[in-house]
Amino acid sequence: MPVRHGLFVEGPPPALVCGRCGTCAKVHFPRALLCPYCSADTVDEVHVRGPGTLWAFTAVTAPPPGYAGDVPYGFGVVELPEGVRVVARITESDPAALSLDESMELVVVALHTDELGRSVVTYAFAPGS
Amino acid sequence: MPVRHGLFVEGPPPALVCGRCGTCAKVHFPRALLCPYCSADTVDEVHVRGPGTLWAFTAVTAPPPGYAGDVPYGFGVVELPEGVRVVARITESDPAALSLDESMELVVVALHTDELGRSVVTYAFAPGS
Amino acid sequence: MGVVEVAGVGMHPFGRHPDTSTTDMGVVAVRAALAEAEVGRGGFQAAFCGTAYGGVACGHKVLGALGMTGMPIVDVEAGCASGGAALQLAASAISSGQHDCVVVFGVEKMPRGIIRSSFFDPWQEEAGLAATPGYFALRAMRLMHTSGVTKDHLAAVVVKNRRHGAENPDAMFRSEVTAAEVLESRLVCEPLHLWMLCSPNEGAAAVVLRAGTGTGVRLASAVLRSHLPGSVLSESTPMSGLTDDAVVPPTTLAARDAFQESGLGPEDLDVVECQDTDAARELLSYEELGLCPAGGSAELLESGATTLGGRLPVNPSGGLLSKGEPLGASALGQVVELVRQLRDECGSRQVPGARTALSHTVGRGANAGVVVLQR
Amino acid sequence: MGVVEVAGVGMHPFGRHPDTSTTDMGVVAVRAALAEAEVGRGGFQAAFCGTAYGGVACGHKVLGALGMTGMPIVDVEAGCASGGAALQLAASAISSGQHDCVVVFGVEKMPRGIIRSSFFDPWQEEAGLAATPGYFALRAMRLMHTSGVTKDHLAAVVVKNRRHGAENPDAMFRSEVTAAEVLESRLVCEPLHLWMLCSPNEGAAAVVLRAGTGTGVRLASAVLRSHLPGSVLSESTPMSGLTDDAVVPPTTLAARDAFQESGLGPEDLDVVECQDTDAARELLSYEELGLCPAGGSAELLESGATTLGGRLPVNPSGGLLSKGEPLGASALGQVVELVRQLRDECGSRQVPGARTALSHTVGRGANAGVVVLQR
Ligand SMILES: [Zn+2]
Ligand SMILES: [Zn+2]
């Protein structure tokens, strides 16, 4: 099950559920009711699939608060052609194996298994083919 | 063991550890480093034994946050001859059995048994003889 | 000092809203207030958010969701008077000429049941002395002793406010109750029964203030005061006090300042919203605000003056007893009600011809906030 | 607008004080500041307390323990800039003529380790996106990309601030470190090692402001600003931003306002305390505050200008990297340091002849606070 409903579609292919403002045309994620850039309530849902390019990256080596998955894990920002930069997990947890501006594919990855035995999944980016 | 050190002496006879200001002579409880009435740092420790008189009373029927003892329990304010009114548990948990201005004796009562098996005690007032 | 006017008000109804976030409630209230004020992005120069449990950056999240950030945004906490504190800061920034327009809002999602406050020390909790309704009960008992208040009077306050609240679509409880039902509800702490206590809940309220011309509703005064030491049953909840019954309570300090600043007095008021955390607190507020002489609260209630249709209706919104109490939002909820009363927008709960109004909150700290509004 | 002067400052040392309550730390700092100012009971008309984790009525408890209540007391929260927000409100109240004297203080006891902030949603925590040091690392990486900053520069910031902090009795860490030791400390999030990150801790700081004559230390400006949307790595921690690198950060917004209000510029500064939550944040602050051109932070650091003895010492107190960060107290801790620098009271860490100083904080919200002080 997704870590939160309405964040992404699992596909294949997966996509991020973004908002695109009908007034200023800017794209944001996660989708909000109002445009965070111009306050308009004319937000359309758009599905953003990538690929994107890697804009910043690191690896998280200790579990942050409320996180029950494995460490280390990759963590970064990916820039997408729709004009939006998105904070995401990165499937590669060794920063030395990544480089700025490389192509990144949107994927869905498992986080942990919840108390009901369900696999909780989230969006992430993987170095491209 | 006392619910907090420095609140009362167990006696017998028990006493409340109050502060009396060397500057304005007012008495406060629990004892503080500075006088809460005039800011002076000339606070002397005084032991107040009672008896006092009942100034306000009720009974608490549901356990408040962080409380592990029995309910209902008496709860009130006792006025002491040193010019101080003190918030305290009252040993009588039926308000109908109490009356304003009646004489009250300072006692030490058990609250609950802690995880190490020790009885935790606090100050309280009991209707006088 | 410049004139401050209320340009717009907005509410998210008070109640239980498990599927709505604190941010979303704030957005509803702020958006409504900005729309009334016809103020858009860039139209205000500061924002104050009153909240006690909203967490880090509560106000920023609301304005971020609205796409309206950049100005100073400050979260303020002053217990039940948080909204009053926020309003006071905003009004000062305008009357001093620092800003033209400021947005003030309060948001809260309270934990259910008795609030576990960080206010008490662990030993007080362990000893059973963190009994919030117990303190209310002791205050009620003293009022019964000094003012001839009976349990029937306490029930009558609830009956009055619930009757008012039945007419308020933003209230949580919208049914009338009888005195017998109130007195049959569970005894919490003698003399207080469950229905005599307000319910902590959730909601949001917003007010847009701007430098004004004095037309429309004017903020004549917004005062915040803290307690003076000495009163054992002060909302500052000390473990001891003096054998001195002359300590002036913070509500009286704030009311005196507000009357002085506005050049008005209790006799000028047409409608009041006051702190009714419990039924006795409303009656005590009558006395502390000077709506009646000391000891006269039971008589004022009995006279019918404070009921809708009376000379000085108190809590026409239904009060906290009907609306519930979302801590950071409750004071601004009062102000929203009073602004609507002064604009003659309240329909079946309207106080006819109301021109001067007072709101009052008091709580942990102790803080008391008093706001005077005029049309 | 009237002149605002700093009448007194006080500190409770930053560190770990398990046996001292939040209230007790606040009492130490406020009492010291009042003593310096020779202000007693009744001598101030309002109080503002900056705190994020202090709980309900934090400021009231401090003033209650001091026996000094009655005036308005407001707790304010604006993340790392809480103290800056409190100072701004106090300064406005004085410069507008509303009050003559206001007490401002910040107190905090931070939870140990990485702070579990109410800032993030549960899904962000569950997905590993509530990784505070991860965001710092991403910002550091971008700075390495845009400004030629290397890990050696990051280590050099730590070496510099720890050297400064060794001379500060109010700091938590009072030993010098080498670059090699910094780079050998545990890697938290590439490029940030443990010693490049400040430690959340405990402490208190207080400042007494009053209407002044301009003698002594003058508060030339105190500005609080929030972020503009668009920057994905803003301290507001959005999940997305625009492909737009021209979004003006809140630190720059606040610095521009503060320079405009004070009639000063970066070239007028003699000493600066800035936000060094991590080593890269200090370098980014150089650029955002305009202490150097965009992209010039590594060069400014390398020049030695920002080390004690240089042209513009930054964080002579040792910064948060030496003092630790008690959230609500950290901004006022900077102001205390700068006031002491301007009074020539800092002994072995004194910036000789310092006459103009700037403090800067930025954090969750996002809020940035900039204060300019002059002697
Ligand atoms: Zn838009
Ligand atoms: Zn004294």
Side-chain angles (χ1 to χ4, degrees), chain D residues 38-342:
Chain D
E38 298 180 348
V39 166
R41 297 175 71 232
F44 56 97
Q45 298 91 43
F48 293 94
C49 171
T51 189
Y53 297 91
V56 170
C58 185
H60 291 75
K61 289 181 180 180
V62 171
L63 291 168
L66 280 162
M68 297 183 179
T69 51
M71 73 292 297
I73 304 170
V74 179
D75 290 353
V76 309
E77 195 276 315
C80 305
S82 297
L87 202 71
Q88 192 276 320
L89 294 169
S92 291
I94 294 174
S95 65
S96 69
Q98 188 187 2
H99 296 312
D100 292 319
C101 184
V102 178
V103 174
V104 185
F105 55 104
V107 288
E108 208 75 77
K109 278 180 101 77
M110 302 292 288
R112 275 177 187 273
I114 296 174
I115 301 160
R116 180 155 196 174
S117 175
S118 54
F119 189 78
F120 289 108
D121 286 339
W123 77 267
Q124 294 173 303
E125 291 194 338
E126 193 172 353
L129 301 180
T132 300
Y135 290 94
F136 295 169
L138 296 177
R139 261 201 300 274
M141 190 209 190
R142 289 303 304 176
L143 192 70
M144 293 169 79
H145 181 65
T146 58
S147 301
V149 169
T150 64
K151 284 183 77 162
D152 288 336
H153 290 120
L154 300 180
V157 170
V158 182
V159 170
K160 170 181 79 73
N161 287 0
R162 291 289 296 270
R163 185 181 302 149
H164 295 176
E167 307 297 325
N168 182 358
D170 289 329
M172 180 162 71
F173 297 117
R174 298 203 54 205
S175 58
E176 295 194 31
V177 296
T178 66
E181 286 172 321
V182 175
L183 293 170
E184 281 159 16
S185 68
R186 180 168 69 76
L187 180 67
V188 175
C189 290
E190 179 67 32
L192 298 179
H193 290 248
L194 186 62
W195 290 13
M196 296 176 187
L197 294 157
C198 78
S199 300
N201 66 352
E202 310 173 4
V207 175
V208 178
L209 297 181
R210 71 176 156 216
T213 58
T215 60
V217 173
R218 192 168 65 85
L219 184 73
S221 183
V223 171
L224 181 74
R225 289 292 297 264
S226 58
H227 73 290
L228 296 170
S231 172
V232 69
L233 293 180
S234 162
E235 272 92 352
S236 65
T237 326
M239 284 293 99
S240 70
L242 303 175
T243 51
D244 175 355
D245 296 316
V247 178
V248 181
T251 293
T252 304
L253 297 174
R256 282 182 189 165
D257 284 1
F259 287 134
Q260 184 175 12
E261 187 177 17
S262 62
L264 298 166
E267 66 283 2
D268 298 308
L269 301 175
D270 299 315
V271 56
V272 167
E273 289 269 311
C274 81
Q275 184 85 21
D276 59 336
T277 332
D278 65 86
R281 179 68 252 184
E282 171 163 329
L283 296 173
L284 184 57
S285 300
Y286 293 179
E287 301 189 16
E288 292 182 348
L289 290 168
L291 307 185
C292 64
S297 56
E299 195 178 330
L300 182 66
L301 177 75
E302 275 181 16
S303 76
T306 61
T307 304
L308 273 172
R311 173 176 58 79
L312 179 58
V314 174
N315 287 323
S317 71
L320 305 179
L321 289 169
S322 298
K323 289 184 295 190
E325 187 183 29
L327 215 61
S330 65
L332 294 171
Q334 294 181 336
V335 172
V336 171
E337 171 72 12
L338 293 175
V339 168
R340 290 177 174 167
Q341 288 283 350
L342 296 179

Side-chain angles (χ1 to χ4, degrees), chain B residues 87-104:
Chain B
V87 175
R89 292 172 70 95
I90 305 294
T91 57
E92 174 58 62
S93 64
D94 178 8
L98 294 165
S99 51
L100 272 184
D101 298 328
E102 75 174 295
S103 180
M104 303 296 285

